[in-house]
PDB file of all heavy atoms in Angstrom:
ATOM      1  N   GLY A 128     -13.710 -13.766   9.266  1.00  0.00           N
ATOM      2  CA  GLY A 128     -14.333 -12.862  10.208  1.00  0.00           C
ATOM      3  C   GLY A 128     -13.363 -12.184  11.146  1.00  0.00           C
ATOM      4  O   GLY A 128     -13.756 -11.253  11.864  1.00  0.00           O
ATOM      5  N   GLY A 129     -12.128 -12.625  11.145  1.00  0.00           N
ATOM      6  CA  GLY A 129     -11.126 -12.051  12.015  1.00  0.00           C
ATOM      7  C   GLY A 129     -10.509 -10.791  11.443  1.00  0.00           C
ATOM      8  O   GLY A 129     -10.899 -10.300  10.382  1.00  0.00           O
ATOM      9  N   SER A 130      -9.515 -10.284  12.160  1.00  0.00           N
ATOM     10  CA  SER A 130      -8.867  -9.029  11.788  1.00  0.00           C
ATOM     11  C   SER A 130      -7.358  -9.153  11.834  1.00  0.00           C
ATOM     12  O   SER A 130      -6.798  -9.941  12.611  1.00  0.00           O
ATOM     13  CB  SER A 130      -9.292  -7.897  12.730  1.00  0.00           C
ATOM     14  OG  SER A 130     -10.688  -7.663  12.668  1.00  0.00           O
ATOM     15  N   LEU A 131      -6.707  -8.377  11.008  1.00  0.00           N
ATOM     16  CA  LEU A 131      -5.265  -8.226  11.015  1.00  0.00           C
ATOM     17  C   LEU A 131      -4.928  -6.775  10.741  1.00  0.00           C
ATOM     18  O   LEU A 131      -5.693  -6.070  10.079  1.00  0.00           O
ATOM     19  CB  LEU A 131      -4.589  -9.099   9.956  1.00  0.00           C
ATOM     20  CG  LEU A 131      -4.445 -10.597  10.216  1.00  0.00           C
ATOM     21  CD1 LEU A 131      -3.882 -11.280   8.973  1.00  0.00           C
ATOM     22  CD2 LEU A 131      -3.549 -10.863  11.409  1.00  0.00           C
ATOM     23  N   ARG A 132      -3.776  -6.361  11.231  1.00  0.00           N
ATOM     24  CA  ARG A 132      -3.291  -5.019  10.968  1.00  0.00           C
ATOM     25  C   ARG A 132      -1.900  -5.117  10.367  1.00  0.00           C
ATOM     26  O   ARG A 132      -0.970  -5.611  11.014  1.00  0.00           O
ATOM     27  CB  ARG A 132      -3.251  -4.180  12.238  1.00  0.00           C
ATOM     28  CG  ARG A 132      -2.844  -2.722  12.008  1.00  0.00           C
ATOM     29  CD  ARG A 132      -2.930  -1.920  13.297  1.00  0.00           C
ATOM     30  NE  ARG A 132      -2.517  -0.533  13.131  1.00  0.00           N
ATOM     31  CZ  ARG A 132      -3.295   0.449  12.710  1.00  0.00           C
ATOM     32  NH1 ARG A 132      -4.568   0.198  12.403  1.00  0.00           N
ATOM     33  NH2 ARG A 132      -2.834   1.688  12.595  1.00  0.00           N
ATOM     34  N   LEU A 133      -1.762  -4.661   9.144  1.00  0.00           N
ATOM     35  CA  LEU A 133      -0.486  -4.649   8.458  1.00  0.00           C
ATOM     36  C   LEU A 133       0.173  -3.284   8.616  1.00  0.00           C
ATOM     37  O   LEU A 133      -0.500  -2.260   8.613  1.00  0.00           O
ATOM     38  CB  LEU A 133      -0.649  -4.954   6.975  1.00  0.00           C
ATOM     39  CG  LEU A 133      -1.362  -6.249   6.592  1.00  0.00           C
ATOM     40  CD1 LEU A 133      -1.376  -6.402   5.072  1.00  0.00           C
ATOM     41  CD2 LEU A 133      -0.702  -7.447   7.255  1.00  0.00           C
ATOM     42  N   SER A 134       1.490  -3.298   8.719  1.00  0.00           N
ATOM     43  CA  SER A 134       2.250  -2.069   8.807  1.00  0.00           C
ATOM     44  C   SER A 134       3.400  -2.115   7.818  1.00  0.00           C
ATOM     45  O   SER A 134       3.913  -3.187   7.488  1.00  0.00           O
ATOM     46  CB  SER A 134       2.798  -1.850  10.224  1.00  0.00           C
ATOM     47  OG  SER A 134       1.754  -1.685  11.158  1.00  0.00           O
ATOM     48  N   CYS A 135       3.800  -0.957   7.361  1.00  0.00           N
ATOM     49  CA  CYS A 135       4.913  -0.845   6.428  1.00  0.00           C
ATOM     50  C   CYS A 135       5.710   0.395   6.779  1.00  0.00           C
ATOM     51  O   CYS A 135       5.143   1.492   6.870  1.00  0.00           O
ATOM     52  CB  CYS A 135       4.410  -0.770   4.988  1.00  0.00           C
ATOM     53  SG  CYS A 135       5.688  -0.418   3.760  1.00  0.00           S
ATOM     54  N   ALA A 136       6.999   0.223   6.960  1.00  0.00           N
ATOM     55  CA  ALA A 136       7.881   1.327   7.287  1.00  0.00           C
ATOM     56  C   ALA A 136       8.866   1.564   6.150  1.00  0.00           C
ATOM     57  O   ALA A 136       9.537   0.631   5.703  1.00  0.00           O
ATOM     58  CB  ALA A 136       8.634   1.050   8.583  1.00  0.00           C
ATOM     59  N   ALA A 137       8.932   2.786   5.690  1.00  0.00           N
ATOM     60  CA  ALA A 137       9.887   3.175   4.662  1.00  0.00           C
ATOM     61  C   ALA A 137      11.106   3.796   5.321  1.00  0.00           C
ATOM     62  O   ALA A 137      10.983   4.636   6.215  1.00  0.00           O
ATOM     63  CB  ALA A 137       9.263   4.167   3.687  1.00  0.00           C
ATOM     64  N   SER A 138      12.272   3.386   4.881  1.00  0.00           N
ATOM     65  CA  SER A 138      13.504   3.911   5.451  1.00  0.00           C
ATOM     66  C   SER A 138      14.515   4.166   4.345  1.00  0.00           C
ATOM     67  O   SER A 138      14.396   3.651   3.233  1.00  0.00           O
ATOM     68  CB  SER A 138      14.088   2.947   6.489  1.00  0.00           C
ATOM     69  OG  SER A 138      14.424   1.706   5.902  1.00  0.00           O
ATOM     70  N   GLY A 139      15.526   4.950   4.667  1.00  0.00           N
ATOM     71  CA  GLY A 139      16.548   5.304   3.710  1.00  0.00           C
ATOM     72  C   GLY A 139      16.673   6.807   3.586  1.00  0.00           C
ATOM     73  O   GLY A 139      16.172   7.566   4.414  1.00  0.00           O
ATOM     74  N   SER A 140      17.335   7.232   2.535  1.00  0.00           N
ATOM     75  CA  SER A 140      17.560   8.660   2.307  1.00  0.00           C
ATOM     76  C   SER A 140      16.338   9.274   1.621  1.00  0.00           C
ATOM     77  O   SER A 140      16.375   9.655   0.447  1.00  0.00           O
ATOM     78  CB  SER A 140      18.819   8.854   1.462  1.00  0.00           C
ATOM     79  OG  SER A 140      19.137  10.233   1.326  1.00  0.00           O
ATOM     80  N   ILE A 141      15.258   9.378   2.369  1.00  0.00           N
ATOM     81  CA  ILE A 141      13.975   9.815   1.829  1.00  0.00           C
ATOM     82  C   ILE A 141      13.796  11.310   2.018  1.00  0.00           C
ATOM     83  O   ILE A 141      13.867  11.818   3.134  1.00  0.00           O
ATOM     84  CB  ILE A 141      12.822   9.053   2.489  1.00  0.00           C
ATOM     85  CG1 ILE A 141      12.949   7.555   2.224  1.00  0.00           C
ATOM     86  CG2 ILE A 141      11.486   9.580   1.977  1.00  0.00           C
ATOM     87  CD1 ILE A 141      11.966   6.716   3.002  1.00  0.00           C
ATOM     88  N   PHE A 142      13.526  11.994   0.924  1.00  0.00           N
ATOM     89  CA  PHE A 142      13.258  13.424   0.971  1.00  0.00           C
ATOM     90  C   PHE A 142      11.772  13.700   1.151  1.00  0.00           C
ATOM     91  O   PHE A 142      11.387  14.543   1.961  1.00  0.00           O
ATOM     92  CB  PHE A 142      13.779  14.101  -0.293  1.00  0.00           C
ATOM     93  CG  PHE A 142      13.464  15.567  -0.374  1.00  0.00           C
ATOM     94  CD1 PHE A 142      14.193  16.481   0.363  1.00  0.00           C
ATOM     95  CD2 PHE A 142      12.436  16.038  -1.175  1.00  0.00           C
ATOM     96  CE1 PHE A 142      13.915  17.837   0.309  1.00  0.00           C
ATOM     97  CE2 PHE A 142      12.144  17.390  -1.248  1.00  0.00           C
ATOM     98  CZ  PHE A 142      12.886  18.287  -0.504  1.00  0.00           C
ATOM     99  N   SER A 143      10.950  12.995   0.399  1.00  0.00           N
ATOM    100  CA  SER A 143       9.518  13.234   0.456  1.00  0.00           C
ATOM    101  C   SER A 143       8.773  12.015  -0.072  1.00  0.00           C
ATOM    102  O   SER A 143       9.217  11.383  -1.017  1.00  0.00           O
ATOM    103  CB  SER A 143       9.156  14.472  -0.373  1.00  0.00           C
ATOM    104  OG  SER A 143       7.766  14.722  -0.350  1.00  0.00           O
ATOM    105  N   ILE A 144       7.642  11.708   0.536  1.00  0.00           N
ATOM    106  CA  ILE A 144       6.795  10.615   0.098  1.00  0.00           C
ATOM    107  C   ILE A 144       5.469  11.162  -0.402  1.00  0.00           C
ATOM    108  O   ILE A 144       4.809  11.930   0.297  1.00  0.00           O
ATOM    109  CB  ILE A 144       6.533   9.603   1.228  1.00  0.00           C
ATOM    110  CG1 ILE A 144       7.845   9.018   1.741  1.00  0.00           C
ATOM    111  CG2 ILE A 144       5.610   8.488   0.746  1.00  0.00           C
ATOM    112  CD1 ILE A 144       7.673   8.043   2.881  1.00  0.00           C
ATOM    113  N   ASP A 145       5.107  10.770  -1.603  1.00  0.00           N
ATOM    114  CA  ASP A 145       3.817  11.146  -2.170  1.00  0.00           C
ATOM    115  C   ASP A 145       2.757  10.172  -1.645  1.00  0.00           C
ATOM    116  O   ASP A 145       2.423  10.212  -0.464  1.00  0.00           O
ATOM    117  CB  ASP A 145       3.907  11.150  -3.696  1.00  0.00           C
ATOM    118  CG  ASP A 145       2.636  11.653  -4.356  1.00  0.00           C
ATOM    119  OD1 ASP A 145       1.750  12.172  -3.650  1.00  0.00           O
ATOM    120  OD2 ASP A 145       2.520  11.527  -5.590  1.00  0.00           O
ATOM    121  N   TYR A 146       2.259   9.302  -2.482  1.00  0.00           N
ATOM    122  CA  TYR A 146       1.254   8.359  -2.009  1.00  0.00           C
ATOM    123  C   TYR A 146       1.898   7.074  -1.514  1.00  0.00           C
ATOM    124  O   TYR A 146       3.014   6.728  -1.885  1.00  0.00           O
ATOM    125  CB  TYR A 146       0.203   8.060  -3.088  1.00  0.00           C
ATOM    126  CG  TYR A 146       0.695   7.251  -4.267  1.00  0.00           C
ATOM    127  CD1 TYR A 146       0.819   5.869  -4.179  1.00  0.00           C
ATOM    128  CD2 TYR A 146       0.992   7.871  -5.472  1.00  0.00           C
ATOM    129  CE1 TYR A 146       1.249   5.125  -5.261  1.00  0.00           C
ATOM    130  CE2 TYR A 146       1.418   7.135  -6.555  1.00  0.00           C
ATOM    131  CZ  TYR A 146       1.545   5.769  -6.450  1.00  0.00           C
ATOM    132  OH  TYR A 146       1.970   5.031  -7.525  1.00  0.00           O
ATOM    133  N   MET A 147       1.167   6.372  -0.676  1.00  0.00           N
ATOM    134  CA  MET A 147       1.551   5.057  -0.202  1.00  0.00           C
ATOM    135  C   MET A 147       0.346   4.144  -0.385  1.00  0.00           C
ATOM    136  O   MET A 147      -0.790   4.606  -0.393  1.00  0.00           O
ATOM    137  CB  MET A 147       1.976   5.088   1.265  1.00  0.00           C
ATOM    138  CG  MET A 147       3.092   6.074   1.558  1.00  0.00           C
ATOM    139  SD  MET A 147       3.692   6.015   3.275  1.00  0.00           S
ATOM    140  CE  MET A 147       4.747   4.552   3.189  1.00  0.00           C
ATOM    141  N   GLY A 148       0.608   2.868  -0.540  1.00  0.00           N
ATOM    142  CA  GLY A 148      -0.511   1.987  -0.776  1.00  0.00           C
ATOM    143  C   GLY A 148      -0.208   0.539  -0.504  1.00  0.00           C
ATOM    144  O   GLY A 148       0.925   0.153  -0.195  1.00  0.00           O
ATOM    145  N   TRP A 149      -1.263  -0.252  -0.598  1.00  0.00           N
ATOM    146  CA  TRP A 149      -1.183  -1.695  -0.444  1.00  0.00           C
ATOM    147  C   TRP A 149      -1.780  -2.368  -1.671  1.00  0.00           C
ATOM    148  O   TRP A 149      -2.862  -1.991  -2.133  1.00  0.00           O
ATOM    149  CB  TRP A 149      -1.937  -2.170   0.805  1.00  0.00           C
ATOM    150  CG  TRP A 149      -1.288  -1.758   2.086  1.00  0.00           C
ATOM    151  CD1 TRP A 149      -1.547  -0.646   2.817  1.00  0.00           C
ATOM    152  CD2 TRP A 149      -0.272  -2.478   2.791  1.00  0.00           C
ATOM    153  NE1 TRP A 149      -0.757  -0.622   3.939  1.00  0.00           N
ATOM    154  CE2 TRP A 149       0.035  -1.731   3.948  1.00  0.00           C
ATOM    155  CE3 TRP A 149       0.406  -3.671   2.556  1.00  0.00           C
ATOM    156  CZ2 TRP A 149       0.995  -2.149   4.868  1.00  0.00           C
ATOM    157  CZ3 TRP A 149       1.361  -4.082   3.471  1.00  0.00           C
ATOM    158  CH2 TRP A 149       1.644  -3.326   4.610  1.00  0.00           C
ATOM    159  N   TYR A 150      -1.077  -3.349  -2.182  1.00  0.00           N
ATOM    160  CA  TYR A 150      -1.539  -4.197  -3.259  1.00  0.00           C
ATOM    161  C   TYR A 150      -1.482  -5.643  -2.783  1.00  0.00           C
ATOM    162  O   TYR A 150      -0.785  -5.961  -1.817  1.00  0.00           O
ATOM    163  CB  TYR A 150      -0.681  -4.022  -4.512  1.00  0.00           C
ATOM    164  CG  TYR A 150      -0.836  -2.680  -5.192  1.00  0.00           C
ATOM    165  CD1 TYR A 150      -0.244  -1.539  -4.667  1.00  0.00           C
ATOM    166  CD2 TYR A 150      -1.568  -2.561  -6.369  1.00  0.00           C
ATOM    167  CE1 TYR A 150      -0.386  -0.312  -5.289  1.00  0.00           C
ATOM    168  CE2 TYR A 150      -1.708  -1.340  -7.001  1.00  0.00           C
ATOM    169  CZ  TYR A 150      -1.113  -0.218  -6.457  1.00  0.00           C
ATOM    170  OH  TYR A 150      -1.245   0.994  -7.076  1.00  0.00           O
ATOM    171  N   ARG A 151      -2.202  -6.498  -3.473  1.00  0.00           N
ATOM    172  CA  ARG A 151      -2.145  -7.908  -3.120  1.00  0.00           C
ATOM    173  C   ARG A 151      -2.181  -8.767  -4.378  1.00  0.00           C
ATOM    174  O   ARG A 151      -2.684  -8.353  -5.418  1.00  0.00           O
ATOM    175  CB  ARG A 151      -3.292  -8.300  -2.186  1.00  0.00           C
ATOM    176  CG  ARG A 151      -4.673  -8.256  -2.815  1.00  0.00           C
ATOM    177  CD  ARG A 151      -5.744  -8.497  -1.771  1.00  0.00           C
ATOM    178  NE  ARG A 151      -7.075  -8.556  -2.343  1.00  0.00           N
ATOM    179  CZ  ARG A 151      -8.191  -8.613  -1.635  1.00  0.00           C
ATOM    180  NH1 ARG A 151      -8.129  -8.635  -0.304  1.00  0.00           N
ATOM    181  NH2 ARG A 151      -9.367  -8.667  -2.245  1.00  0.00           N
ATOM    182  N   GLN A 152      -1.647  -9.963  -4.244  1.00  0.00           N
ATOM    183  CA  GLN A 152      -1.625 -10.899  -5.349  1.00  0.00           C
ATOM    184  C   GLN A 152      -1.825 -12.306  -4.817  1.00  0.00           C
ATOM    185  O   GLN A 152      -1.047 -12.785  -3.990  1.00  0.00           O
ATOM    186  CB  GLN A 152      -0.311 -10.803  -6.119  1.00  0.00           C
ATOM    187  CG  GLN A 152      -0.287 -11.647  -7.387  1.00  0.00           C
ATOM    188  CD  GLN A 152       0.891 -11.314  -8.278  1.00  0.00           C
ATOM    189  OE1 GLN A 152       1.878 -10.728  -7.836  1.00  0.00           O
ATOM    190  NE2 GLN A 152       0.797 -11.681  -9.544  1.00  0.00           N
ATOM    191  N   ALA A 153      -2.874 -12.945  -5.288  1.00  0.00           N
ATOM    192  CA  ALA A 153      -3.158 -14.323  -4.939  1.00  0.00           C
ATOM    193  C   ALA A 153      -2.567 -15.240  -6.001  1.00  0.00           C
ATOM    194  O   ALA A 153      -2.353 -14.818  -7.144  1.00  0.00           O
ATOM    195  CB  ALA A 153      -4.665 -14.542  -4.822  1.00  0.00           C
ATOM    196  N   PRO A 154      -2.305 -16.492  -5.667  1.00  0.00           N
ATOM    197  CA  PRO A 154      -1.753 -17.427  -6.652  1.00  0.00           C
ATOM    198  C   PRO A 154      -2.620 -17.508  -7.902  1.00  0.00           C
ATOM    199  O   PRO A 154      -3.834 -17.674  -7.819  1.00  0.00           O
ATOM    200  CB  PRO A 154      -1.734 -18.759  -5.902  1.00  0.00           C
ATOM    201  CG  PRO A 154      -1.620 -18.373  -4.459  1.00  0.00           C
ATOM    202  CD  PRO A 154      -2.440 -17.121  -4.336  1.00  0.00           C
ATOM    203  N   GLY A 155      -1.989 -17.371  -9.055  1.00  0.00           N
ATOM    204  CA  GLY A 155      -2.704 -17.438 -10.311  1.00  0.00           C
ATOM    205  C   GLY A 155      -3.495 -16.201 -10.658  1.00  0.00           C
ATOM    206  O   GLY A 155      -4.200 -16.201 -11.677  1.00  0.00           O
ATOM    207  N   GLN A 156      -3.406 -15.165  -9.847  1.00  0.00           N
ATOM    208  CA  GLN A 156      -4.160 -13.941 -10.072  1.00  0.00           C
ATOM    209  C   GLN A 156      -3.226 -12.770 -10.331  1.00  0.00           C
ATOM    210  O   GLN A 156      -2.046 -12.803  -9.994  1.00  0.00           O
ATOM    211  CB  GLN A 156      -5.052 -13.635  -8.867  1.00  0.00           C
ATOM    212  CG  GLN A 156      -6.013 -14.745  -8.500  1.00  0.00           C
ATOM    213  CD  GLN A 156      -7.045 -14.988  -9.578  1.00  0.00           C
ATOM    214  OE1 GLN A 156      -7.579 -14.043 -10.156  1.00  0.00           O
ATOM    215  NE2 GLN A 156      -7.320 -16.249  -9.853  1.00  0.00           N
ATOM    216  N   GLU A 157      -3.784 -11.743 -10.931  1.00  0.00           N
ATOM    217  CA  GLU A 157      -3.029 -10.526 -11.148  1.00  0.00           C
ATOM    218  C   GLU A 157      -2.983  -9.695  -9.879  1.00  0.00           C
ATOM    219  O   GLU A 157      -3.864  -9.781  -9.024  1.00  0.00           O
ATOM    220  CB  GLU A 157      -3.649  -9.698 -12.280  1.00  0.00           C
ATOM    221  CG  GLU A 157      -3.604 -10.362 -13.643  1.00  0.00           C
ATOM    222  CD  GLU A 157      -4.161  -9.476 -14.732  1.00  0.00           C
ATOM    223  OE1 GLU A 157      -4.709  -8.409 -14.410  1.00  0.00           O
ATOM    224  OE2 GLU A 157      -4.043  -9.845 -15.904  1.00  0.00           O
ATOM    225  N   ARG A 158      -1.951  -8.896  -9.763  1.00  0.00           N
ATOM    226  CA  ARG A 158      -1.841  -7.988  -8.636  1.00  0.00           C
ATOM    227  C   ARG A 158      -2.944  -6.938  -8.713  1.00  0.00           C
ATOM    228  O   ARG A 158      -3.229  -6.396  -9.790  1.00  0.00           O
ATOM    229  CB  ARG A 158      -0.473  -7.317  -8.639  1.00  0.00           C
ATOM    230  CG  ARG A 158      -0.213  -6.420  -7.435  1.00  0.00           C
ATOM    231  CD  ARG A 158       1.183  -5.847  -7.494  1.00  0.00           C
ATOM    232  NE  ARG A 158       1.374  -5.033  -8.693  1.00  0.00           N
ATOM    233  CZ  ARG A 158       2.538  -4.526  -9.070  1.00  0.00           C
ATOM    234  NH1 ARG A 158       3.632  -4.768  -8.349  1.00  0.00           N
ATOM    235  NH2 ARG A 158       2.615  -3.794 -10.172  1.00  0.00           N
ATOM    236  N   GLU A 159      -3.563  -6.637  -7.588  1.00  0.00           N
ATOM    237  CA  GLU A 159      -4.643  -5.674  -7.564  1.00  0.00           C
ATOM    238  C   GLU A 159      -4.462  -4.671  -6.434  1.00  0.00           C
ATOM    239  O   GLU A 159      -3.856  -4.961  -5.403  1.00  0.00           O
ATOM    240  CB  GLU A 159      -5.997  -6.377  -7.407  1.00  0.00           C
ATOM    241  CG  GLU A 159      -6.168  -7.106  -6.084  1.00  0.00           C
ATOM    242  CD  GLU A 159      -7.555  -7.705  -5.917  1.00  0.00           C
ATOM    243  OE1 GLU A 159      -8.459  -7.367  -6.705  1.00  0.00           O
ATOM    244  OE2 GLU A 159      -7.736  -8.522  -4.989  1.00  0.00           O
ATOM    245  N   LEU A 160      -5.016  -3.501  -6.645  1.00  0.00           N
ATOM    246  CA  LEU A 160      -4.984  -2.462  -5.624  1.00  0.00           C
ATOM    247  C   LEU A 160      -5.900  -2.830  -4.470  1.00  0.00           C
ATOM    248  O   LEU A 160      -7.054  -3.206  -4.666  1.00  0.00           O
ATOM    249  CB  LEU A 160      -5.419  -1.124  -6.219  1.00  0.00           C
ATOM    250  CG  LEU A 160      -5.620   0.013  -5.208  1.00  0.00           C
ATOM    251  CD1 LEU A 160      -4.285   0.467  -4.630  1.00  0.00           C
ATOM    252  CD2 LEU A 160      -6.347   1.191  -5.851  1.00  0.00           C
ATOM    253  N   VAL A 161      -5.386  -2.707  -3.270  1.00  0.00           N
ATOM    254  CA  VAL A 161      -6.188  -2.860  -2.066  1.00  0.00           C
ATOM    255  C   VAL A 161      -6.620  -1.490  -1.560  1.00  0.00           C
ATOM    256  O   VAL A 161      -7.808  -1.221  -1.383  1.00  0.00           O
ATOM    257  CB  VAL A 161      -5.423  -3.616  -0.966  1.00  0.00           C
ATOM    258  CG1 VAL A 161      -6.270  -3.722   0.302  1.00  0.00           C
ATOM    259  CG2 VAL A 161      -5.016  -4.999  -1.462  1.00  0.00           C
ATOM    260  N   ALA A 162      -5.651  -0.624  -1.323  1.00  0.00           N
ATOM    261  CA  ALA A 162      -5.935   0.711  -0.835  1.00  0.00           C
ATOM    262  C   ALA A 162      -4.726   1.593  -1.043  1.00  0.00           C
ATOM    263  O   ALA A 162      -3.594   1.123  -1.053  1.00  0.00           O
ATOM    264  CB  ALA A 162      -6.316   0.688   0.659  1.00  0.00           C
ATOM    265  N   SER A 163      -4.966   2.876  -1.197  1.00  0.00           N
ATOM    266  CA  SER A 163      -3.886   3.846  -1.299  1.00  0.00           C
ATOM    267  C   SER A 163      -4.265   5.096  -0.534  1.00  0.00           C
ATOM    268  O   SER A 163      -5.447   5.351  -0.272  1.00  0.00           O
ATOM    269  CB  SER A 163      -3.567   4.183  -2.760  1.00  0.00           C
ATOM    270  OG  SER A 163      -4.655   4.837  -3.383  1.00  0.00           O
ATOM    271  N   ILE A 164      -3.260   5.878  -0.191  1.00  0.00           N
ATOM    272  CA  ILE A 164      -3.495   7.107   0.558  1.00  0.00           C
ATOM    273  C   ILE A 164      -2.476   8.146   0.122  1.00  0.00           C
ATOM    274  O   ILE A 164      -1.283   7.871   0.010  1.00  0.00           O
ATOM    275  CB  ILE A 164      -3.432   6.839   2.082  1.00  0.00           C
ATOM    276  CG1 ILE A 164      -3.750   8.109   2.865  1.00  0.00           C
ATOM    277  CG2 ILE A 164      -2.086   6.244   2.482  1.00  0.00           C
ATOM    278  CD1 ILE A 164      -3.988   7.845   4.346  1.00  0.00           C
ATOM    279  N   SER A 165      -2.941   9.345  -0.143  1.00  0.00           N
ATOM    280  CA  SER A 165      -2.076  10.416  -0.590  1.00  0.00           C
ATOM    281  C   SER A 165      -1.369  11.060   0.586  1.00  0.00           C
ATOM    282  O   SER A 165      -1.668  10.794   1.749  1.00  0.00           O
ATOM    283  CB  SER A 165      -2.883  11.470  -1.354  1.00  0.00           C
ATOM    284  OG  SER A 165      -3.706  12.208  -0.466  1.00  0.00           O
ATOM    285  N   ALA A 166      -0.420  11.939   0.271  1.00  0.00           N
ATOM    286  CA  ALA A 166       0.286  12.652   1.327  1.00  0.00           C
ATOM    287  C   ALA A 166      -0.661  13.479   2.176  1.00  0.00           C
ATOM    288  O   ALA A 166      -0.422  13.678   3.374  1.00  0.00           O
ATOM    289  CB  ALA A 166       1.372  13.541   0.725  1.00  0.00           C
ATOM    290  N   GLY A 167      -1.737  13.972   1.565  1.00  0.00           N
ATOM    291  CA  GLY A 167      -2.715  14.767   2.285  1.00  0.00           C
ATOM    292  C   GLY A 167      -3.795  13.968   2.974  1.00  0.00           C
ATOM    293  O   GLY A 167      -4.655  14.550   3.646  1.00  0.00           O
ATOM    294  N   GLY A 168      -3.792  12.643   2.811  1.00  0.00           N
ATOM    295  CA  GLY A 168      -4.743  11.798   3.504  1.00  0.00           C
ATOM    296  C   GLY A 168      -5.925  11.328   2.680  1.00  0.00           C
ATOM    297  O   GLY A 168      -6.820  10.667   3.221  1.00  0.00           O
ATOM    298  N   THR A 169      -5.962  11.639   1.394  1.00  0.00           N
ATOM    299  CA  THR A 169      -7.036  11.158   0.540  1.00  0.00           C
ATOM    300  C   THR A 169      -6.865   9.665   0.282  1.00  0.00           C
ATOM    301  O   THR A 169      -5.790   9.216  -0.108  1.00  0.00           O
ATOM    302  CB  THR A 169      -7.059  11.911  -0.788  1.00  0.00           C
ATOM    303  OG1 THR A 169      -7.242  13.305  -0.538  1.00  0.00           O
ATOM    304  CG2 THR A 169      -8.189  11.412  -1.677  1.00  0.00           C
ATOM    305  N   THR A 170      -7.923   8.897   0.486  1.00  0.00           N
ATOM    306  CA  THR A 170      -7.844   7.444   0.379  1.00  0.00           C
ATOM    307  C   THR A 170      -8.596   6.917  -0.828  1.00  0.00           C
ATOM    308  O   THR A 170      -9.541   7.543  -1.331  1.00  0.00           O
ATOM    309  CB  THR A 170      -8.397   6.776   1.641  1.00  0.00           C
ATOM    310  OG1 THR A 170      -9.756   7.184   1.846  1.00  0.00           O
ATOM    311  CG2 THR A 170      -7.573   7.170   2.860  1.00  0.00           C
TER     312      THR A 170
END
């Protein structure tokens, strides 16, 4: 019932970023998509 806020910062010689996203993997499970967002904000 609680909340958390995850953040991710990309650094380096970056020219342009297309989509960004979050995936998760639990023990014994396959990696799955949590959420993604395009450069234009489509989620």
Side-chain angles (χ1 to χ4, degrees):
S130 298
L131 284 174
R132 184 176 178 85
L133 305 182
S134 296
C135 173
S138 62
S140 185
I141 299 172
F142 176 77
S143 179
I144 301 178
D145 185 10
Y146 70 80
M147 304 185 79
W149 291 93
Y150 291 76
R151 68 187 184 188
Q152 187 168 19
Q156 303 295 318
E157 295 183 353
R158 184 178 61 187
E159 65 176 347
L160 172 70
V161 178
S163 65
I164 183 168
S165 71
T169 301
T170 58

